[in-house]
Amino acid sequence: HHHHHHHHGSVISINSGSSSSSIKTSLNAAIFETPRTLVNKGMQSFQNYDVPTSLAYFDKADAALPDGSLKPYLWQRGISYYYLDRFQEGSDQFRLDVSVNPLDVEEIVWDIACLARMNNGGDEFPPERRMALPEGRKDRRRIMGTVYSLFRGDGMMEYDLRKAGHEGNVSDEFYSLFYLGLYCEVRNET
């Protein structure tokens, strides 16, 4: 009996290691990609300047969780919307995200960018409907605090953001230039 049992076990291990089974597994993986994989592919497409494909991947990731639990975490989709000139949908995405994570300065800033671009031709800046951090909270990163103030119209100027970038590290310099670019784009559009 013991011998038979042992033999039975070895048959199972041979089967599970067989090539036919691993081929089947990879086929299934291709059919059902995890939301994380889809988001990563979307980010990759975005980095390759293929924004429409990035949006398609983010939408697929969202649809993969029908209960909507991924929706408030798809900030990347909001940025894709922005670059596709779909500012209302971008704003909706960022506002949903901030409702879950109220301390997210970047999403507040991107929402302001969307609102300002929707108000195309109007001279209302900063937009009246802009979001704010909860009372008494601020971003500890000097760069993001400056970006936030600039976009919200709370007193900081482009000069201040440039200065903060120069006085910070490489990453600070990158963010200051990136958000200065976004700010100029937004202000020239309005």
Side-chain angles (χ1 to χ4, degrees), residues 6-181:
H6 178 75
H7 176 70
H8 183 65
S10 68
V11 169
I12 288 172
S13 65
I14 288 165
N15 263 354
S16 63
S18 77
S19 59
S20 76
S21 137
S22 60
I23 289 167
K24 224 179 286 173
T25 309
S26 57
L27 277 176
N28 286 344
I31 295 161
F32 178 74
E33 292 179 289
T34 64
R36 180 183 294 250
T37 307
L38 292 163
V39 168
N40 287 339
K41 287 188 170 178
M43 288 169 80
Q44 196 53 59
S45 302
F46 186 89
Q47 280 159 9
N48 298 335
Y49 301 103
D50 185 354
V51 185
T53 301
S54 77
L55 181 61
Y57 276 122
F58 298 142
D59 287 346
K60 243 178 159 168
D62 187 15
L65 293 175
D67 65 353
S69 56
L70 188 61
K71 230 185 252 304
Y73 301 100
L74 283 170
W75 55 270
Q76 300 97 328
R77 176 162 66 179
I79 296 175
S80 293
Y81 278 138
Y82 176 87
Y83 285 110
L84 291 168
D85 292 351
R86 290 167 64 174
F87 305 118
Q88 181 61 63
E89 288 158 295
S91 174
D92 293 344
Q93 177 70 58
F94 294 126
R95 286 177 172 259
L96 179 63
D97 300 355
V98 172
S99 72
V100 172
N101 181 8
L103 300 179
D104 198 323
V105 162
E106 265 127 320
E107 304 217 51
I108 294 174
V109 164
W110 277 101
D111 177 59
I112 291 171
C114 287
L115 295 176
R117 294 289 299 273
M118 271 192 280
N119 186 26
N120 215 349
D123 54 3
E124 181 217 319
F125 192 93
E128 204 179 319
R129 285 177 48 234
R130 66 195 181 280
M131 293 185 288
L133 286 170
E135 197 62 48
R137 301 301 293 261
K138 64 190 193 71
D139 198 303
R140 287 198 188 83
R141 298 167 296 169
R142 182 181 169 198
I143 282 292
M144 287 319 300
T146 310
V147 167
Y148 173 80
S149 170
L150 176 65
F151 274 80
R152 276 199 35 93
D154 289 345
M156 287 287 180
M157 293 292 150
E158 289 175 57
Y159 162 81
D160 298 296
L161 183 50
R162 253 185 225 107
K163 188 166 178 286
H166 284 312
E167 290 169 3
N169 57 29
V170 174
S171 146
D172 292 342
E173 184 82 282
F174 168 80
Y175 278 109
S176 77
L177 291 172
F178 178 82
Y179 281 106
L180 272 170

